[in-house]
Amino acid sequence: MASEDITKLAESLAKTKVGGGQLSFKGQSLKLNTAEDAEGVIKQIEEFDGLEALRLEGNTVGVEAAKVIAKALEKKSELKRCHWSDMFTGRLRSEIPPALISLGDALITAGAQLVELDLSDNAFGPDGVRGFEALLKSPACYTLQELKLNNCGMGIGGGKILAAALKECHRKSSAQGKPLALKIFVAGRNRLENDGATALAEAFGIIGTLEEVHMPQNGINHPGITALAQAFAINPLLKVINLNDNTFTEKGAVAMAETLKALRQVEVINFGDCLVRSKGAVAIADAVKEGLHKLKELNLSFCEIKRDAALTVAEAIEDKAELEKLDLNGNCLGEEGCEQLQEILEGFNMAAVLGSLSDDEGEEEDDEEEEEDEDEEEEEEEDQQQLKEREHGEEELLTPKKIIDSQDSTPVPSPPVDVATFLAFPSPEKLLRLGPKCSVLIAQQTDTSDVEKVVTALLRISSVFKDEAPVKTAVQETTDALMRKAFTSATFNSDAFVTSLLIHMGLLKSEEKIKAVPSLYGILMTLNHMVQQDYFPKSLAPVLSAFVTKPNRALDSCSFARHMLLQTLHQL
């Protein structure tokens, strides 16, 4: 390390805050790449007796530095709070999981009993959740009360991994007589969507001790909201529910309103920008009127609520003595409606709790009710179609009714499987049930003279990819048989194939409206195998590399698989 770097590090470490069992390197912009870079940090950790909280926010920690910091933490059994948000700035996503694994293993080795784990603002994606999965399942987290994972880009896959880890932690800790009693859960801005939210809802229902749930900006629609509502109903200590900027619609709002009737400790409800609409707002108002005597804040801003419904909400808070804020801004009250709202609250001597109405959208025409109904009907049809597809694909869908007692299902015999069934509704189980000749069968029954059919078959095969050996091997062998047949055919157009594949992956635009595959993980991992085989035309490697390198949200959520493929392509 250069002398000027050592000087800079020394100055930063001089700012380190120590006190109350806490060692803080927060906001020092330390760039810890190597073991040598981390020497100063390690020294302070080792010399700190009774370390209970370690703050590493606002720095950047590489794999090698994480390993040596972890070594120092192996002797810190009293550590309870890990404030590790925003500590991988500028790092490749592939660097984050191994760094987290090292740190997590150290906490397990130390015998630490964590109370708080904050990994917010670390854009590690679904792969990153694997990095602390073992930690969450370990005795180090049996005592966890606060889990904060805001703005981590976990996606649906990460949400499912997280939910499974929380359930396992609860199961193991319960077996030891001290069940996991998580109080605060934060996972905003993670693109969890319905499936991720539903998986977490099952975990919440099992845990039952939550006091605060913050899940804003996750693209959750009414099926996911309904699942969460069902889980919240069996968390009687809930005080704060923040689901801002998701999409309830009337169905989700009504489900959540029913849950609110069962809760007694709620202090903060943030359903702003959640499209609860008028009927949903009236349902929530009824719940507020019936109970929620500890309510301090109610946010229903920017929800397309019309005048009469907004006035119903105002009337519902009449006896809420502890209410400090009512936010109905950005709705459709109109000038007269805003005045009436203020008059109602003045009559209760509660005018001070009303927030600004400066962004009111004005009173809408009644004919828009029909448009709302049509939108909801279309949304319902889409959800039903998705449900049918998942049922045919033999994937477990955690509907609200299955959240509790979801393990009471009776096994049913597996139906016979043929190639057509697998390709229509692919699943790992179906591929394996095709037997040892699955690769030959699929290659034989796919018309390799048709590029689109080859692309479709490849995407269906790769969609069931798993890291488990039997499935991984079956996917790779089937891919090899199919693509070897295609690429060795004199009539097969390789350039047209890669173009079509990129379009279906959502990496290349097409004049036709083609729906991209929902997840790129399977196809990226399959391509990583495929490009290394002798049948693959090496002339296609630069094309793939160029498009996989480009910024893309879908690729960002599969950073590990993307990195693996790019690394392989560069080595060709």
Side-chain angles (χ1 to χ4, degrees), residues 264-286:
R264 296 288 180 268
Q265 307 299 322
V266 176
E267 298 177 2
V268 177
I269 297 172
N270 186 346
F271 297 159
D273 203 11
C274 282
L275 202 66
V276 303
R277 293 184 174 140
S278 295
K279 291 181 181 178
V282 169
I284 291 170
D286 288 344

Side-chain angles (χ1 to χ4, degrees), residues 224-242:
I225 296 297
T226 301
L228 287 170
Q230 184 82 10
F232 292 167
I234 43 181
N235 280 266
L237 302 177
L238 265 176
K239 296 179 180 178
V240 179
I241 304 175
N242 176 8

Side-chain angles (χ1 to χ4, degrees), residues 164 179 285 302 363 402 410 521:
F302 299 94
E363 197 164 6
K402 289 185 181 178
T410 304
Y521 182 78

Side-chain angles (χ1 to χ4, degrees), residues 501-555:
L501 180 62
L502 290 169
I503 290 171
H504 283 275
M505 290 173 68
L507 307 182
L508 182 62
K509 290 184 179 180
S510 170
E511 293 181 1
E512 299 178 17
K513 190 174 182 180
I514 295 176
K515 189 175 181 180
V517 294
S519 172
L520 295 180
Y521 182 78
I523 185 60
L524 289 173
M525 294 300 287
T526 302
L527 283 171
N528 183 54
H529 166 80
M530 196 172 98
V531 299
Q532 300 178 60
Q533 308 311 308
D534 56 4
Y535 59 75
F536 181 78
K538 298 301 183 277
S539 60
L540 299 181
V543 180
L544 276 178
S545 181
F547 281 92
V548 176
T549 304
K550 287 183 178 181
N552 182 283
R553 283 183 64 185
L555 287 171

